[in-house]
Amino acid sequence: GCKIESVSDVTKGPAHVGRALALSVSAERIYSGGEDRFIRCWERGSGALVREREGNVTSCIDCTEQIVAVGYMGGCLQVYTASLFQLLCTCSRHMGPVYDVKCTRDSNFLVSGSSDCTVRVWETGRGVCQHVFRGHETMISKVLILDERVFSLDIACLKVWSLTDKTLLRDLKPISHGGKDGYFLPGLVSANTLTRTGQRRAVVVNGSSHGVYFWDSMSYDLLRIVRAVVVNGSNHGVYFWNSMSYELLRIVQSPGYGCTEHIVGAGSAFIATWAPCTM
């Protein structure tokens, strides 16, 4: 069975006044940002509020065990210590809202994607922009760091960049479906699948207008497109898939207004929200 809890359930009260707009989880803490312009840090076990910071409207959060990176609708990023006690740096070069941010495992660098169509690499110690990747024609909704590469997603393509050579490695496009051009929607994670020989294969998973795409992370081959299932005349809800076998584990039906709006990793499974679309 599945138990679903919101931050409000864990904290025994509203986490924010208005909507919570961003969420990130570490081994010991939960971080949330809301319309009320507060960033809050909660103990994961007890749900107790550790500390809060008042700032701007949050658009994205990512964390490691050492730092918390927060992106804002105003175009800047701020990096805090894990307890939110100290502001380490402010990164201010994007010309539009920052829609996603990811920290490297060693906490030394950040990668951010913005409505200004750029992907930026930042040094967390000084807040200095180390490099700018340009080439997107529409806003970047999601970024992903995998090995020494950055994957950046917009509505028309998924681009792969080398952090070492600072070059574009691949430009992945959606396919047409039902006589209509496909397009990508927010949702980008890394996962594992099993090959026919039983070996693990690293994949990159992203959402689209007509399904969830599985790409081989090394060859960039399109391995599978997982589509929605019609249940009681509807194909929308929250879908739980096994990322190793592509097996659909469960559907929790709920109303929505887009297809595969969000994808998150959950160990050996991944979860996608799905809303009405033409099958």
Side-chain angles (χ1 to χ4, degrees), residues 25 38 41 57-58 62 106 124 146 179 210 239 243:
V25 180
F38 276 93
C41 173
V57 178
T58 306
D62 193 39
D106 60 12
T124 57
L146 188 60
H210 54 276
Y239 284 61
S243 62

Side-chain angles (χ1 to χ4, degrees), residues 59 71-76 94-100 113-116 139-140:
S59 53
Y72 295 105
M73 296 301 291
C76 72
H94 280 298
M95 303 301 292
V98 180
Y99 285 128
D100 201 17
S114 168
S115 65
D116 64 8
M139 72 176 193
I140 299 163

Side-chain angles (χ1 to χ4, degrees), residues 202-233:
V203 299
V204 172
V205 188
N206 74 281
S208 80
S209 56
H210 54 276
V212 179
Y213 281 54
F214 284 75
W215 308 91
D216 186 293
S217 69
M218 299 305 296
S219 67
Y220 309 115
D221 292 334
L222 180 59
L223 304 175
R224 184 76 64 94
I225 300 178
V226 180
R227 305 191 190 280
V229 179
V230 177
V231 178
N232 298 326

Side-chain angles (χ1 to χ4, degrees), residues 4 6 41 104 107 111 116 143 157 166 198 227 243 260 263 279:
I4 301 174
S6 69
C41 173
T104 57
S107 304
V111 173
D116 64 8
V143 294
C157 65
K166 306 297 189 294
R227 305 191 190 280
S243 62
T260 53
I263 296 177
M279 299 298 294

Side-chain angles (χ1 to χ4, degrees), residues 22-24 31-33 39 58-63 68-71 100-101:
L23 187 71
S24 187
Y31 302 93
S32 61
I39 308 159
T58 306
S59 53
C60 53
I61 300 176
D62 193 39
C63 66
V68 184
V70 184
D100 201 17
V101 61

Side-chain angles (χ1 to χ4, degrees), residues 78-139:
Q78 290 184 320
V79 184
Y80 295 91
T81 54
S83 64
L84 295 185
F85 179 76
Q86 180 182 359
L87 174 64
L88 298 177
C89 67
T90 299
C91 309
S92 304
R93 294 295 293 274
H94 280 298
M95 303 301 292
V98 180
Y99 285 128
D100 201 17
V101 61
K102 290 292 184 292
C103 308
T104 57
R105 290 183 180 181
D106 60 12
S107 304
N108 290 332
F109 296 94
L110 308 175
V111 173
S112 59
S114 168
S115 65
D116 64 8
C117 306
T118 66
V119 177
R120 292 181 179 267
V121 182
W122 309 87
E123 181 188 333
T124 57
R126 298 180 297 159
V128 175
C129 182
Q130 296 287 330
H131 190 74
V132 183
F133 292 112
R134 292 184 171 89
H136 284 276
E137 296 183 359
T138 59
M139 72 176 193

